[in-house]
Structures are given as structure tokens and as C-alpha cells.
Amino acid sequence: QVQLVESGGGSVQAGGSLRLSCTASGDRYSRRCMGWFRQAPGKEREGVAATSTVGIGTYYADSVKGRFTVSQDNAKNTLYLEMNRLSPEDTAMYFCAARDVFCYARAPLMDDYKYWGQGTQVTVSS
């Protein structure tokens, strides 16, 4: 079993930055791949980035490439999402998720992931 807790959301003006955190607990072999997702009101949940927890690779959605960066601190069991040059279109609830097999070499899809956090809200004003 895996538990995921996101933090770091908030309100920021367009052009600003935020760093989200996702702290994981539980079986590390159940989270070989971790992903970040977001869901704006009235829209489907969108995969933002996926990263291997054993350093194989990180994959980003086209909408965030060059602006968002995933990193991780394995000693703290924490995954980060550094978000730069934010725009109002980035406003959403952000979730982290985990799966027990390795990442596909593409942006994540919801159905690929078994464990989910509760989310943290990011609001970007113009």
C-alpha cells in the first residue's frame, strides 16, 4: 500500500513560480513510477509528467515542457514539481500518483496509476 500527500500549492501571479511536493510512504516497490497530474474545473485530469524512481527517465506533457521540472529526494521519499513561467491556463488541482511498474516513455495517463494523493490547488492570476 502507498500513501501520497501533496503540498505546496497556492496562488501566484502569471509569470511566477511554485514548487509542489509529494511525500510518499509505504511499499517503495509499489511506486517505481510516479506521476504528476492536474485537473481544471470542468476538464479531464491531464498527465503533466512521469518519472522513474530509479532514475530511468522523466517524461513531460508538451504543455509543460521547458517550464516544469520534476525532481526527487529519495532520502525523504519526496517528489517535487518545480513550475516556472506559470500562466492562468496552469490553474488546476494538482495530484501525484504512483504505479508499481516502470514508467512508459511518455506523459502519464490516469489509467496507468494505482495510488493517488488528495491534491493541492494551484491558482494563477493574470
Side-chain angles (χ1 to χ4, degrees), residues 50 58-60 102-107:
T58 301
Y59 314 98
Y60 295 94
F102 295 113
C103 298
Y104 291 114
R106 53 160 168 75

Side-chain angles (χ1 to χ4, degrees), residues 12-63:
V12 64
Q13 289 191 328
S17 300
L18 279 174
R19 188 177 78 160
L20 307 183
S21 301
C22 172
T23 301
S25 59
D27 180 13
R28 60 188 290 264
Y29 295 105
S30 294
R31 43 188 170 92
R32 288 188 172 92
C33 174
M34 295 189 71
W36 283 103
F37 292 78
R38 65 186 181 184
Q39 188 166 18
K43 294 188 176 181
E44 293 186 353
R45 196 166 295 187
E46 172 193 17
V48 172
T51 191
S52 164
T53 57
V54 293
I56 295 176
T58 301
Y59 314 98
Y60 295 94
D62 288 343
S63 57

Side-chain angles (χ1 to χ4, degrees), residues 1-4 24-31 98 100 114-116:
Q1 195 71 6
V2 173
Q3 294 79 42
L4 304 170
S25 59
D27 180 13
R28 60 188 290 264
Y29 295 105
S30 294
R31 43 188 170 92
D100 57 4
K114 182 176 182 179
Y115 304 103
W116 291 86

